[in-house]
């Protein structure tokens, strides 16, 4: 992606940064890789040790150091510091070692990093806009020195499965945007992480001396809505055409914001729509193994929030695309929430669950009984209840199905519904399994399984790249459907043979290009793009990708 213009004229050819200022600019710094000629021309002589290293050697040094660190949190801090010193080197290391690094800069480690945010905070990254800034948000956004094309914004109320972490949630937009750049080449300068600090109801944080957010209870009701609305208007005015991704909002806000803005602004909610696409892709892969059709599946979700209803809604659309009526498709998707099976007539059901509140079924309070009663072909865990897929649950699924589909998608690892090992062990190796957290390969009775993460990071980078490359005005469900099909088509026979329902992560940039092209195609076909379709959409997408090199 072409480097977006800096709003602050920091580097013109005549006054480009030199000397120490240059070494302290993470976007321009090459550290020990500055050549002799550059050192001479840029006032760097004496400021660096004499040996000139290649980027490859620098990257190897980073990895060697990283691997000596005892905990993932220390690795997270070290990588953050590198990001702050030398952006190109940071992304080189991430891109070339995505399997090893993604779990550190994103889930699961980012969850712990958010919990410890006040303690490990070093340099600010992104923008903190607090409810005290009301009336001045547009002014404040002008302080950002680059022209953003992509904002990931959270209010920190539902960080992963960890709950309300207030301003500490900043780790999530930062991590997601790093993945946009690493996995799909969205230029780092185009990326703006934002926390809307509307307070927190987390007592522990309110009493934590290191907490860096507002020490007040969350803004609610009309005050909250108008604050977010001011932000939305200001962001779109300051950065025309910007893509805004809502991230880790609690579900009462998430559905409301998505519905309020999706038809007028370029927005999406990854927890709802990105999750839906990655889960649907996993289902398509699983069905390639067991030979089933999506429209014949019965899916029981543990959880009835953003992820569950987002997935169920996209699955319903996909079942209808296979010829099912809407009523038939809905009836094949069932939700269990903290109060048991969602059924018609239950008091106080929130709006997003109503489509799945089926009539003619008595209430059931526990998940195992729901399985035995409904006889699902697939269970999908998105309730952030660690260990909820007990041995009895897994055995029941194996009894009902020759090859049960078991997706334990909750994050971080402590919230996973079951481990990969348990999923295979208690189904005698027959489960078609995907997980939300990374698990090592499992060997059972001489057979080796390679479980892969049903992680949104397969989807959102490509979707974002496609939307930005085409200049789409909106992000539509059709784009997520296209992304799901494309991701599933990237899974090879050799992947399926070892139990992997997703492609290997090191292929992510190739996968993202294909997803971006599919998404951009939808934008051109639906008249949402900024201009006519190019002859070669894939080439357009590729031409916009950031490559981390000096
Ligand atoms: P959410 O808060 O919107 O929904 C959580 C749901 O779980 C609610 O419906 C709640 O009633 C239900 N629940 C809570 N306790 C329960 C219990 N004991 N039994 C049954 N249901 C219970 O959250 P969400 O956005 O849907 O996310 C849920 C989980 O899914 C989180 O851990 C999140 O990290 C994970 N997730 C993973 C991915 C991925 O890529 N793998 C993507 C999105 C979300």
């Amino acid at each position: 992606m072409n480097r977006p213009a800096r709003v602050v004229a920091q580097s013109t050819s005549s006054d480009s940064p030199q000397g120490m200022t240059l070494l302290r600019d993470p976007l321009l710094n090459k550290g020990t890789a500055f050549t002799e000629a550059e050192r001479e021309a840029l006032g760097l002589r004496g400021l660096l040790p004499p040996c000139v290293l290649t980027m490859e050697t620098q990257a190897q040094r980073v990895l060697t150091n990283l691997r000596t660190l005892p905990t993932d949190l220390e690795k997270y801090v070290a990588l953050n510091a590198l990001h702050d010193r030398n952006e190109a080197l940071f992304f080189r290391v991430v891109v070339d070692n995505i399997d090893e690094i993604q779990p550190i800069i994103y889930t699961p480690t980012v969850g712990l990093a958010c919990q410890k945010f006040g303690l490990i905070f070093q340099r600010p990254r992104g923008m903190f806009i607090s409810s005290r800034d009301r009336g001045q948000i547009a002014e404040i956004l002008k302080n950002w020195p680059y022209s953003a094309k992509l904002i990931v914004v959270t209010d920190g109320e539902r960080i992963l499965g960890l709950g309300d972490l207030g301003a500490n949630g900043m780790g999530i937009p930062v991590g997601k945007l790093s993945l946009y750049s690493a996995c799909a080449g969205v230029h780092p300068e185009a990326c703006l992480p934002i926390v809307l600090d509307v307070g927190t109801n987390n007592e522990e944080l309110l009493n934590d001396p290191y907490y860096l957010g507002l020490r007040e209870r969350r803004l609610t009701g009309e005050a909250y809505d108008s604050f977010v609305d001011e932000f939305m208007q200001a962001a779109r005015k300051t950065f025309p055409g910007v893509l805004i991704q809502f991230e880790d909002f609690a579900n009462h806000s998430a559905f409301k914001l998505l519905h309020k803005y999706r038809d007028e602004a370029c927005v999406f909610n990854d927890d709802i729509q990105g999750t839906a696409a990655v889960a649907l892709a996993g289902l398509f892969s699983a069905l390639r193994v067991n030979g089933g059709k999506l429209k014949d599946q019965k899916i029981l979700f543990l959880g009835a929030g953003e992820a569950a209803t987002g997935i169920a809604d996209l699955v319903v659309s996909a079942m209808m695309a296979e010829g099912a009526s809407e009523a038939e498709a809905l009836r094949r998707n069932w939700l269990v929430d903290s109060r048991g099976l969602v059924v018609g007539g239950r008091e106080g059901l929130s709006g997003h669950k109503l489509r799945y509140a089926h009539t003619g079924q008595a209430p059931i309070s526990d998940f195992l009984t729901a399985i035995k009663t409904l006889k699902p072909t697939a269970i999908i865990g998105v309730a952030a209840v660690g260990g909820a897929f007990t041995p009895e649950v897994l055995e029941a699924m194996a009894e009902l199905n020759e090859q049960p589909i078991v997706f334990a998608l909750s994050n971080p690892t402590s919230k996973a519904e079951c481990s990969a090992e348990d999923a295979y062990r208690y189904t005698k190796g027959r489960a078609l399994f995907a997980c939300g957290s990374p698990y090592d390969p499992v060997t059972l009775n001489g057979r080796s399984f390679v479980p892969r993460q049903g992680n949104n990071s397969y989807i959102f980078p490509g979707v974002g790249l496609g939307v930005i490359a085409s200049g789409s005005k909106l992000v539509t469900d059709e784009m997520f459907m296209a992304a799901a099909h494309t991701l599933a088509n990237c899974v090879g026979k050799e992947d399926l043979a070892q139990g992997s329902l997703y492609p290997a992560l090191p292929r992510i940039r190739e996968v993202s290009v294909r997803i971006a092209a599919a998404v951009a195609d939808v934008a051109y076909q639906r008249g949402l793009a900024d201009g006519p379709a190019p002859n070669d959409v894939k080439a357009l997408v590729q031409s916009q990708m950031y490559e981390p090199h000096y």
Side-chain angles (χ1 to χ4, degrees), residues 486-537:
T486 308
L487 176 57
N489 289 338
C490 292
V491 180
K493 286 199 184 111
E494 57 298 345
D495 293 316
L496 298 178
Q498 59 180 19
S500 304
L501 303 182
Y502 296 96
L505 204 49
R507 289 180 54 208
I508 187 68
R509 280 172 82 95
E510 167 213 332
V511 170
S512 293
V513 167
R514 288 172 66 175
I515 290 176
V519 165
D521 271 336
V522 174
Y524 288 113
Q525 282 161 20
R526 300 290 173 216
L528 294 169
D530 180 19
N535 290 336
D536 187 343
V537 174

Short mmCIF file of all heavy atoms in Angstrom, two decimals, residues 486-537:
data_model
loop_
_atom_site.label_atom_id
_atom_site.label_comp_id
_atom_site.label_asym_id
_atom_site.label_seq_id
_atom_site.Cartn_x
_atom_site.Cartn_y
_atom_site.Cartn_z
N THR A 486 -13.90 -18.06 0.23
CA THR A 486 -12.52 -17.97 -0.25
C THR A 486 -11.58 -18.64 0.74
O THR A 486 -10.67 -19.40 0.33
CB THR A 486 -12.12 -16.49 -0.44
OG1 THR A 486 -13.10 -15.87 -1.26
CG2 THR A 486 -10.76 -16.37 -1.08
N LEU A 487 -11.78 -18.38 2.04
CA LEU A 487 -10.90 -19.00 3.04
C LEU A 487 -11.02 -20.52 2.97
O LEU A 487 -10.01 -21.24 2.98
CB LEU A 487 -11.26 -18.48 4.44
CG LEU A 487 -10.49 -19.10 5.60
CD1 LEU A 487 -8.98 -18.91 5.43
CD2 LEU A 487 -10.94 -18.49 6.93
N ALA A 488 -12.24 -21.02 2.87
CA ALA A 488 -12.43 -22.48 2.81
C ALA A 488 -11.74 -23.05 1.56
O ALA A 488 -11.15 -24.13 1.61
CB ALA A 488 -13.92 -22.81 2.81
N ASN A 489 -11.79 -22.31 0.47
CA ASN A 489 -11.15 -22.79 -0.76
C ASN A 489 -9.63 -22.80 -0.67
O ASN A 489 -8.96 -23.38 -1.52
CB ASN A 489 -11.58 -21.94 -1.97
CG ASN A 489 -13.03 -22.20 -2.33
OD1 ASN A 489 -13.57 -23.24 -1.98
ND2 ASN A 489 -13.66 -21.24 -3.00
N CYS A 490 -9.09 -22.10 0.32
CA CYS A 490 -7.63 -22.09 0.49
C CYS A 490 -7.13 -23.32 1.27
O CYS A 490 -5.93 -23.52 1.42
CB CYS A 490 -7.19 -20.83 1.25
SG CYS A 490 -7.41 -19.31 0.31
N VAL A 491 -8.08 -24.11 1.80
CA VAL A 491 -7.69 -25.29 2.59
C VAL A 491 -7.45 -26.45 1.63
O VAL A 491 -8.32 -26.78 0.81
CB VAL A 491 -8.80 -25.66 3.60
CG1 VAL A 491 -8.41 -26.88 4.43
CG2 VAL A 491 -9.11 -24.47 4.50
N GLY A 492 -6.26 -27.05 1.71
CA GLY A 492 -5.91 -28.13 0.78
C GLY A 492 -6.28 -29.50 1.33
O GLY A 492 -6.58 -29.64 2.53
N LYS A 493 -6.23 -30.51 0.44
CA LYS A 493 -6.55 -31.90 0.86
C LYS A 493 -5.59 -32.37 1.94
O LYS A 493 -5.96 -33.10 2.86
CB LYS A 493 -6.44 -32.83 -0.35
CG LYS A 493 -7.59 -32.66 -1.32
CD LYS A 493 -7.69 -33.90 -2.22
CE LYS A 493 -8.78 -33.71 -3.25
NZ LYS A 493 -8.33 -33.56 -4.62
N GLU A 494 -4.33 -31.93 1.80
CA GLU A 494 -3.32 -32.35 2.79
C GLU A 494 -3.62 -31.74 4.17
O GLU A 494 -3.37 -32.35 5.20
CB GLU A 494 -1.89 -32.04 2.31
CG GLU A 494 -1.54 -30.61 1.95
CD GLU A 494 -2.32 -29.98 0.78
OE1 GLU A 494 -3.01 -30.65 -0.03
OE2 GLU A 494 -2.23 -28.76 0.69
N ASP A 495 -4.20 -30.51 4.17
CA ASP A 495 -4.61 -29.92 5.45
C ASP A 495 -5.72 -30.77 6.08
O ASP A 495 -5.64 -31.15 7.24
CB ASP A 495 -5.18 -28.49 5.23
CG ASP A 495 -4.13 -27.50 4.75
OD1 ASP A 495 -3.03 -27.50 5.30
OD2 ASP A 495 -4.44 -26.72 3.82
N LEU A 496 -6.73 -31.07 5.27
CA LEU A 496 -7.88 -31.82 5.79
C LEU A 496 -7.45 -33.19 6.31
O LEU A 496 -7.94 -33.66 7.33
CB LEU A 496 -8.95 -31.99 4.70
CG LEU A 496 -9.57 -30.68 4.16
CD1 LEU A 496 -10.57 -30.99 3.05
CD2 LEU A 496 -10.27 -29.90 5.28
N ALA A 497 -6.49 -33.81 5.61
CA ALA A 497 -6.06 -35.16 5.98
C ALA A 497 -5.46 -35.18 7.39
O ALA A 497 -5.49 -36.20 8.07
CB ALA A 497 -5.05 -35.68 4.95
N GLN A 498 -4.90 -34.07 7.82
CA GLN A 498 -4.31 -34.05 9.17
C GLN A 498 -5.23 -33.36 10.18
O GLN A 498 -4.81 -32.97 11.26
CB GLN A 498 -2.94 -33.37 9.13
CG GLN A 498 -3.02 -31.94 8.62
CD GLN A 498 -1.67 -31.24 8.57
OE1 GLN A 498 -0.63 -31.89 8.57
NE2 GLN A 498 -1.67 -29.92 8.55
N GLY A 499 -6.49 -33.16 9.80
CA GLY A 499 -7.46 -32.59 10.73
C GLY A 499 -7.46 -31.08 10.77
O GLY A 499 -8.10 -30.48 11.64
N SER A 500 -6.74 -30.42 9.85
CA SER A 500 -6.69 -28.95 9.85
C SER A 500 -7.83 -28.40 9.00
O SER A 500 -7.92 -28.70 7.81
CB SER A 500 -5.38 -28.45 9.26
OG SER A 500 -4.29 -28.98 9.95
N LEU A 501 -8.68 -27.57 9.60
CA LEU A 501 -9.82 -27.01 8.87
C LEU A 501 -9.51 -25.63 8.31
O LEU A 501 -10.36 -25.00 7.66
CB LEU A 501 -11.04 -26.95 9.80
CG LEU A 501 -11.46 -28.29 10.42
CD1 LEU A 501 -12.71 -28.10 11.28
CD2 LEU A 501 -11.71 -29.35 9.35
N TYR A 502 -8.30 -25.16 8.56
CA TYR A 502 -7.86 -23.86 8.03
C TYR A 502 -6.49 -24.04 7.40
O TYR A 502 -5.77 -24.98 7.73
CB TYR A 502 -7.79 -22.82 9.17
CG TYR A 502 -9.15 -22.54 9.77
CD1 TYR A 502 -9.58 -23.20 10.91
CD2 TYR A 502 -10.04 -21.67 9.14
CE1 TYR A 502 -10.85 -22.98 11.44
CE2 TYR A 502 -11.31 -21.45 9.66
CZ TYR A 502 -11.72 -22.10 10.80
OH TYR A 502 -12.97 -21.89 11.31
N PRO A 503 -6.11 -23.13 6.49
CA PRO A 503 -4.78 -23.24 5.90
C PRO A 503 -3.70 -22.92 6.94
O PRO A 503 -4.00 -22.34 7.98
CB PRO A 503 -4.81 -22.17 4.78
CG PRO A 503 -5.92 -21.25 5.12
CD PRO A 503 -6.90 -22.00 5.97
N ALA A 504 -2.48 -23.27 6.63
CA ALA A 504 -1.38 -22.96 7.56
C ALA A 504 -1.20 -21.45 7.64
O ALA A 504 -1.29 -20.75 6.62
CB ALA A 504 -0.10 -23.63 7.08
N LEU A 505 -0.95 -20.96 8.84
CA LEU A 505 -0.85 -19.51 9.05
C LEU A 505 0.24 -18.84 8.20
O LEU A 505 0.04 -17.71 7.73
CB LEU A 505 -0.63 -19.23 10.54
CG LEU A 505 -1.05 -17.87 11.06
CD1 LEU A 505 -2.46 -17.49 10.63
CD2 LEU A 505 -0.92 -17.84 12.57
N PRO A 506 1.39 -19.49 7.99
CA PRO A 506 2.39 -18.82 7.15
C PRO A 506 1.89 -18.48 5.74
O PRO A 506 2.50 -17.67 5.05
CB PRO A 506 3.54 -19.83 7.11
CG PRO A 506 3.41 -20.58 8.40
CD PRO A 506 1.92 -20.69 8.64
N ARG A 507 0.77 -19.05 5.32
CA ARG A 507 0.22 -18.70 4.00
C ARG A 507 -0.69 -17.47 4.07
O ARG A 507 -1.36 -17.12 3.09
CB ARG A 507 -0.59 -19.88 3.44
CG ARG A 507 0.26 -21.06 3.00
CD ARG A 507 -0.63 -22.18 2.46
NE ARG A 507 -1.52 -21.74 1.40
CZ ARG A 507 -2.70 -22.30 1.12
NH1 ARG A 507 -3.13 -23.33 1.84
NH2 ARG A 507 -3.46 -21.84 0.14
N ILE A 508 -0.74 -16.81 5.22
CA ILE A 508 -1.78 -15.83 5.46
C ILE A 508 -1.78 -14.68 4.46
O ILE A 508 -2.84 -14.19 4.06
CB ILE A 508 -1.74 -15.30 6.93
CG1 ILE A 508 -2.94 -14.40 7.22
CG2 ILE A 508 -0.46 -14.58 7.25
CD1 ILE A 508 -4.25 -15.09 7.25
N ARG A 509 -0.60 -14.23 4.01
CA ARG A 509 -0.62 -13.08 3.09
C ARG A 509 -1.24 -13.48 1.74
O ARG A 509 -1.98 -12.73 1.13
CB ARG A 509 0.77 -12.47 2.93
CG ARG A 509 1.08 -11.54 4.12
CD ARG A 509 2.50 -11.06 4.13
NE ARG A 509 2.79 -9.92 3.28
CZ ARG A 509 2.80 -8.64 3.68
NH1 ARG A 509 2.49 -8.33 4.92
NH2 ARG A 509 3.13 -7.66 2.85
N GLU A 510 -0.94 -14.70 1.31
CA GLU A 510 -1.55 -15.20 0.06
C GLU A 510 -3.07 -15.35 0.24
O GLU A 510 -3.87 -14.95 -0.62
CB GLU A 510 -0.89 -16.55 -0.26
CG GLU A 510 -1.55 -17.38 -1.31
CD GLU A 510 -1.39 -18.89 -1.03
OE1 GLU A 510 -0.40 -19.30 -0.39
OE2 GLU A 510 -2.30 -19.63 -1.45
N VAL A 511 -3.47 -15.88 1.40
CA VAL A 511 -4.90 -16.05 1.69
C VAL A 511 -5.58 -14.68 1.73
O VAL A 511 -6.67 -14.49 1.16
CB VAL A 511 -5.09 -16.79 3.05
CG1 VAL A 511 -6.54 -16.75 3.50
CG2 VAL A 511 -4.59 -18.23 2.94
N SER A 512 -4.92 -13.72 2.38
CA SER A 512 -5.53 -12.38 2.51
C SER A 512 -5.70 -11.71 1.15
O SER A 512 -6.70 -11.01 0.93
CB SER A 512 -4.66 -11.48 3.41
OG SER A 512 -4.68 -11.97 4.72
N VAL A 513 -4.75 -11.93 0.24
CA VAL A 513 -4.88 -11.35 -1.10
C VAL A 513 -6.13 -11.92 -1.77
O VAL A 513 -6.93 -11.18 -2.37
CB VAL A 513 -3.63 -11.65 -1.96
CG1 VAL A 513 -3.90 -11.35 -3.43
CG2 VAL A 513 -2.44 -10.85 -1.46
N ARG A 514 -6.33 -13.24 -1.63
CA ARG A 514 -7.50 -13.86 -2.28
C ARG A 514 -8.80 -13.35 -1.66
O ARG A 514 -9.77 -13.07 -2.37
CB ARG A 514 -7.40 -15.38 -2.19
CG ARG A 514 -6.30 -15.92 -3.13
CD ARG A 514 -6.02 -17.39 -2.94
NE ARG A 514 -7.14 -18.25 -3.31
CZ ARG A 514 -7.07 -19.58 -3.31
NH1 ARG A 514 -5.95 -20.19 -2.96
NH2 ARG A 514 -8.12 -20.30 -3.65
N ILE A 515 -8.79 -13.22 -0.33
CA ILE A 515 -10.00 -12.71 0.34
C ILE A 515 -10.24 -11.25 -0.07
O ILE A 515 -11.38 -10.86 -0.40
CB ILE A 515 -9.88 -12.84 1.87
CG1 ILE A 515 -9.95 -14.32 2.26
CG2 ILE A 515 -10.97 -12.02 2.60
CD1 ILE A 515 -9.75 -14.60 3.75
N ALA A 516 -9.17 -10.46 -0.07
CA ALA A 516 -9.31 -9.04 -0.43
C ALA A 516 -9.87 -8.90 -1.84
O ALA A 516 -10.74 -8.06 -2.11
CB ALA A 516 -7.96 -8.33 -0.31
N ALA A 517 -9.37 -9.73 -2.77
CA ALA A 517 -9.86 -9.65 -4.14
C ALA A 517 -11.34 -10.02 -4.21
O ALA A 517 -12.13 -9.37 -4.92
CB ALA A 517 -9.03 -10.56 -5.04
N ALA A 518 -11.74 -11.05 -3.44
CA ALA A 518 -13.16 -11.46 -3.43
C ALA A 518 -14.04 -10.36 -2.85
O ALA A 518 -15.14 -10.09 -3.37
CB ALA A 518 -13.31 -12.75 -2.62
N VAL A 519 -13.55 -9.71 -1.80
CA VAL A 519 -14.31 -8.62 -1.16
C VAL A 519 -14.40 -7.42 -2.12
O VAL A 519 -15.47 -6.82 -2.29
CB VAL A 519 -13.63 -8.23 0.18
CG1 VAL A 519 -14.13 -6.89 0.70
CG2 VAL A 519 -13.87 -9.33 1.21
N ALA A 520 -13.27 -7.09 -2.74
CA ALA A 520 -13.27 -5.95 -3.68
C ALA A 520 -14.21 -6.25 -4.85
O ALA A 520 -14.94 -5.36 -5.32
CB ALA A 520 -11.85 -5.67 -4.16
N ASP A 521 -14.22 -7.51 -5.31
CA ASP A 521 -15.15 -7.89 -6.40
C ASP A 521 -16.59 -7.56 -6.03
O ASP A 521 -17.35 -7.02 -6.84
CB ASP A 521 -15.05 -9.41 -6.67
CG ASP A 521 -13.99 -9.73 -7.70
OD1 ASP A 521 -13.67 -8.83 -8.51
OD2 ASP A 521 -13.47 -10.86 -7.67
N VAL A 522 -16.96 -7.90 -4.78
CA VAL A 522 -18.33 -7.60 -4.33
C VAL A 522 -18.55 -6.09 -4.38
O VAL A 522 -19.59 -5.61 -4.86
CB VAL A 522 -18.59 -8.14 -2.90
CG1 VAL A 522 -19.96 -7.70 -2.39
CG2 VAL A 522 -18.47 -9.66 -2.86
N ALA A 523 -17.57 -5.32 -3.90
CA ALA A 523 -17.71 -3.86 -3.89
C ALA A 523 -17.92 -3.33 -5.31
O ALA A 523 -18.79 -2.47 -5.54
CB ALA A 523 -16.48 -3.21 -3.26
N TYR A 524 -17.16 -3.85 -6.28
CA TYR A 524 -17.32 -3.38 -7.67
C TYR A 524 -18.68 -3.81 -8.23
O TYR A 524 -19.38 -3.02 -8.84
CB TYR A 524 -16.18 -3.91 -8.55
CG TYR A 524 -14.86 -3.21 -8.25
CD1 TYR A 524 -13.80 -3.89 -7.68
CD2 TYR A 524 -14.71 -1.84 -8.51
CE1 TYR A 524 -12.62 -3.25 -7.37
CE2 TYR A 524 -13.53 -1.19 -8.21
CZ TYR A 524 -12.49 -1.90 -7.64
OH TYR A 524 -11.32 -1.23 -7.34
N GLN A 525 -19.04 -5.08 -7.96
CA GLN A 525 -20.32 -5.58 -8.53
C GLN A 525 -21.52 -4.83 -7.97
O GLN A 525 -22.51 -4.63 -8.65
CB GLN A 525 -20.49 -7.06 -8.21
CG GLN A 525 -19.65 -7.97 -9.11
CD GLN A 525 -19.47 -9.35 -8.48
OE1 GLN A 525 -20.22 -9.75 -7.60
NE2 GLN A 525 -18.44 -10.06 -8.95
N ARG A 526 -21.43 -4.41 -6.71
CA ARG A 526 -22.59 -3.76 -6.06
C ARG A 526 -22.54 -2.25 -6.15
O ARG A 526 -23.33 -1.56 -5.50
CB ARG A 526 -22.66 -4.16 -4.57
CG ARG A 526 -22.82 -5.64 -4.35
CD ARG A 526 -24.21 -6.11 -4.78
NE ARG A 526 -24.30 -7.56 -4.72
CZ ARG A 526 -24.98 -8.30 -5.56
NH1 ARG A 526 -25.65 -7.74 -6.55
NH2 ARG A 526 -25.02 -9.61 -5.44
N GLY A 527 -21.60 -1.72 -6.92
CA GLY A 527 -21.53 -0.26 -7.10
C GLY A 527 -21.11 0.47 -5.83
O GLY A 527 -21.43 1.65 -5.65
N LEU A 528 -20.41 -0.21 -4.96
CA LEU A 528 -19.98 0.44 -3.70
C LEU A 528 -18.57 0.99 -3.79
O LEU A 528 -18.12 1.74 -2.93
CB LEU A 528 -20.02 -0.59 -2.54
CG LEU A 528 -21.41 -1.10 -2.17
CD1 LEU A 528 -21.30 -2.30 -1.22
CD2 LEU A 528 -22.21 0.03 -1.51
N ALA A 529 -17.85 0.58 -4.85
CA ALA A 529 -16.42 0.94 -4.94
C ALA A 529 -16.25 2.38 -5.41
O ALA A 529 -17.17 2.98 -5.98
CB ALA A 529 -15.72 -0.02 -5.89
N ASP A 530 -15.06 2.86 -5.17
CA ASP A 530 -14.71 4.22 -5.56
C ASP A 530 -14.10 4.15 -6.97
O ASP A 530 -12.89 4.09 -7.12
CB ASP A 530 -13.71 4.74 -4.53
CG ASP A 530 -13.27 6.15 -4.82
OD1 ASP A 530 -13.97 6.83 -5.58
OD2 ASP A 530 -12.23 6.57 -4.29
N GLY A 531 -14.94 4.08 -7.98
CA GLY A 531 -14.43 4.00 -9.35
C GLY A 531 -14.78 2.68 -10.01
O GLY A 531 -15.32 1.78 -9.37
N PRO A 532 -14.45 2.57 -11.32
CA PRO A 532 -14.79 1.34 -12.06
C PRO A 532 -13.85 0.18 -11.70
O PRO A 532 -12.74 0.41 -11.21
CB PRO A 532 -14.58 1.76 -13.52
CG PRO A 532 -13.60 2.89 -13.46
CD PRO A 532 -13.79 3.57 -12.15
N ALA A 533 -14.31 -1.03 -11.97
CA ALA A 533 -13.50 -2.20 -11.66
C ALA A 533 -12.26 -2.23 -12.55
O ALA A 533 -12.36 -2.01 -13.76
CB ALA A 533 -14.33 -3.46 -11.86
N PRO A 534 -11.10 -2.51 -11.99
CA PRO A 534 -9.90 -2.67 -12.82
C PRO A 534 -9.96 -4.01 -13.55
O PRO A 534 -10.75 -4.88 -13.19
CB PRO A 534 -8.78 -2.65 -11.79
CG PRO A 534 -9.41 -3.17 -10.54
CD PRO A 534 -10.86 -2.77 -10.58
N ASN A 535 -9.11 -4.19 -14.55
CA ASN A 535 -9.08 -5.47 -15.26
C ASN A 535 -8.67 -6.60 -14.33
O ASN A 535 -9.18 -7.71 -14.43
CB ASN A 535 -8.07 -5.41 -16.42
CG ASN A 535 -8.60 -4.51 -17.50
OD1 ASN A 535 -9.82 -4.31 -17.60
ND2 ASN A 535 -7.70 -3.93 -18.29
N ASP A 536 -7.74 -6.31 -13.46
CA ASP A 536 -7.20 -7.36 -12.61
C ASP A 536 -7.29 -6.90 -11.14
O ASP A 536 -6.43 -6.17 -10.64
CB ASP A 536 -5.74 -7.61 -13.01
CG ASP A 536 -5.16 -8.81 -12.29
OD1 ASP A 536 -5.75 -9.22 -11.27
OD2 ASP A 536 -4.12 -9.31 -12.74
N VAL A 537 -8.36 -7.36 -10.47
CA VAL A 537 -8.61 -6.89 -9.09
C VAL A 537 -7.50 -7.39 -8.16
O VAL A 537 -7.04 -6.68 -7.27
CB VAL A 537 -10.00 -7.38 -8.61
CG1 VAL A 537 -10.23 -7.03 -7.15
CG2 VAL A 537 -11.09 -6.75 -9.46
#
